[in-house]
Amino acid sequence: MVLTYTQEHVYRHPWDRVTAAAWRKFTDPEASSALSHVVDVHTLSRRFDPDAGRLHTTRSITVRSPPLPFPLRALIGGAPAVFCHCIETTVADAPRRHMEVVARNAGLRRLIEVEERSIYEPHPLEPDRWTMFRQETRIRCKPFSALASIAEKVEQRCAERFLQNSAKGRDFVERICGYLEAEASSSSIAAAQ
């Protein structure tokens, strides 16, 4: 069984500010307490295609999972919490004002597969002022014929956790947009004087 969740959010900030904030989400000074499930982030590769105006980036993200039900703990060695490594690929297309971020778990794939796809584009009604954010999360527990009910509970728990963490991430992008807006305003005032 595959669970799919979609979310949409409108940032009342222009695309360039929102995408700049999204890049800074994990480095925000207040992120460590609210995004405590994120343990480590490393940039594995970064390549800019000057002809197309696209930035391609791959990052490794290590997250702490919520406590697992006892039967699943036994399958993976008994630890109540598990660290999972994820790979995030991003394509930021500045000329088209389109950024797509896809994160997939690299660890625990024999138990569960998670894919989170996020798209940032100018809002159709206010393209110069607002940004449309769309996110789709797909979660699939590997088949456990004897443990089907546990697999469903794990899928549901994972989905709840992803939805909570997604909301926290959006809040941080909003906060960083506010910082960037304040910086831009300060620079404009200083330049005018």
Side-chain angles (χ1 to χ4, degrees):
M1 181 167 103
V2 176
L3 296 177
T4 303
Y5 295 90
T6 57
Q7 301 178 65
E8 291 187 350
H9 179 73
V10 176
Y11 290 102
R12 295 185 185 274
H13 298 277
W15 180 86
D16 56 337
R17 183 178 301 145
V18 172
T19 54
W23 283 111
R24 294 169 60 170
K25 175 174 63 176
F26 296 122
T27 60
D28 183 87
E30 296 177 30
S32 61
S33 61
L35 301 178
S36 60
H37 66 288
V38 178
V39 178
D40 199 21
V41 178
H42 287 288
T43 300
L44 302 175
S45 68
R46 185 178 306 145
R47 178 179 58 84
F48 180 68
D49 178 351
D51 296 331
R54 290 189 193 116
L55 176 64
H56 300 263
T57 304
T58 303
R59 298 195 293 186
S60 167
I61 301 173
T62 303
V63 296
R64 183 182 306 108
S65 75
L68 297 172
F70 181 76
L72 287 182
R73 281 189 232 166
L75 285 174
I76 60 169
V82 177
F83 293 94
C84 182
H85 302 288
C86 303
I87 301 296
E88 176 192 85
T89 57
T90 302
V91 177
D93 187 334
R96 286 184 41 226
R97 297 194 314 163
H98 177 92
M99 185 166 89
E100 183 169 1
V101 182
V102 178
R104 293 181 180 96
N105 63 309
L108 304 176
R109 290 189 65 82
R110 63 189 172 110
L111 297 176
I112 191 166
E113 293 177 354
V114 179
E115 178 182 281
E116 184 179 87
R117 183 176 302 272
S118 303
I119 296 175
Y120 299 82
E121 296 177 309
H123 192 280
L125 300 177
E126 293 284 346
D128 294 328
R129 296 178 49 215
W130 298 350
T131 302
M132 189 72 210
F133 171 76
R134 292 181 185 89
Q135 183 177 58
E136 180 181 275
T137 304
R138 295 170 46 93
I139 301 167
R140 180 170 93 75
C141 272
K142 295 293 184 145
F144 298 106
S145 57
L147 302 172
S149 66
I150 292 172
E152 286 180 28
K153 288 177 185 172
V154 169
E155 285 175 340
Q156 190 62 42
R157 223 174 190 181
C158 287
E160 290 167 6
R161 183 71 179 239
F162 276 99
L163 293 173
Q164 290 169 355
N165 292 338
S166 180
K168 289 178 186 177
R170 283 193 312 273
D171 289 346
F172 272 96
V173 171
E174 286 282 7
R175 178 179 292 143
I176 296 167
C177 282
Y179 299 158
L180 295 172
E181 185 175 34
E183 286 175 12
S185 295
S186 296
S187 297
S188 299
I189 292 169
Q193 293 175 350

